[in-house]
Amino acid sequence: MTHLLSVNGISKAFGGNQVLKSVTFDLQKGEILGLLGPNGSGKSTLLNAISGFTAVDSGTVTVGDKRIDKMPPHKIISAGIARTFQLPAMPAKMTVMEVVMTAGTRHHGLWDGLLSLPSGRQAEKEDHQKASGLLETLLLTKVRDLPAAALSGGQKKLLGIACALMGDPAILMLDEPMAGVHPNLRQELAETLKTLSRTGISLIIIEHDMHFIKSLCERCIVLDRGHIVASCHPDELSKNQDVVDAYLGRGSRALKEAV
Ligand SMILES: Nc1ncnc2c1ncn2[C@@H]1O[C@H](COP(=O)(O)OP(=O)(O)O)[C@@H](O)[C@H]1O
Ligand SMILES: [Mg+2]
């Protein structure tokens, strides 16, 4: 596998709260990497740092040989990194389909569109087909004409994934994609993510559902108070004392229930 993303020594403090402490890890092409850790350990902040939503204090992030850690979020998206949010908010007046279309990064061509030139219409038609396909994949076809804000929390998560995929990312980062998703849909979502990874997309997934993580990931990294304390196969987690300590506090023995 080829090295795709390199995070080197990322640190971030909010006031006196040192949330990320020299975080270093790599992501390979086509890899599905689990990002684990107890609440407040810095997982979402790490995704925010990589995607440019939070400026880091020190450290570097590179995609291939391109430094992205000083770039604004829209340039990072153009560099091939898309992400979803832990608590997705959707515009009140747009339909599901409209929201996905807005996430298309292709330029329809203002003048082409205004003058109804074939190139503008063609690009829009292609985006529409792509959006329809993504809504189908993410089981949202039935709600495509409803206001996006009316979706359930789980459906909003799926819509967030559809939007992220409109830009054909090389790397997709998901912040707790399973939270709020109906149990019947979870297996299908796992299969969809596996299919994506087979097409060459690399994934970083923050998730507390260990069954989901074990079914998808060959490797997990575990954050504890801003430090990476483990990088291993998910089956190894329960035997790793640092992971047990992260979840249960030092000295605890009831580790099987946590991981
Ligand atoms: N924008 C922010 N301003 C101040 N503190 C923040 C901000 N974002 C996150 N934090 C703090 O960083 C810590 C880690 O938060 P977070 O990355 O959301 O953890 P996790 O996703 O692992 O639950 C928490 O103490 C949180 O309060
Ligand atoms: Mg979080």
Side-chain angles (χ1 to χ4, degrees), residues 1-11 22-29 31 33 46 49-51 56 58-70 76 79-81 170-171 173 202 204 219 221 228:
M1 284 204 271
T2 327
H3 233 53
L4 186 59
L5 176 79
S6 294
V7 174
N8 280 302
I10 287 290
S11 292
S22 197
V23 172
T24 296
F25 71 94
D26 295 319
L27 180 72
Q28 314 295 329
K29 184 161 164 41
E31 183 175 17
L33 179 71
L46 182 54
I50 296 169
S51 54
V56 295
S58 55
T60 61
V61 183
T62 52
V63 179
D65 52 10
K66 191 189 239 182
R67 280 268 305 261
I68 62 161
D69 46 271
K70 298 278 190 291
I76 294 178
I81 302 188
I171 300 170
M173 306 193 294
S202 308
I204 299 178
R219 185 167 70 103
I221 53 176
I228 292 191

Side-chain angles (χ1 to χ4, degrees), residues 123-134:
E124 186 165 356
K125 194 170 150 207
E126 284 168 16
D127 269 5
H128 201 272
Q129 278 167 351
K130 188 170 169 186
S132 297
L134 286 170

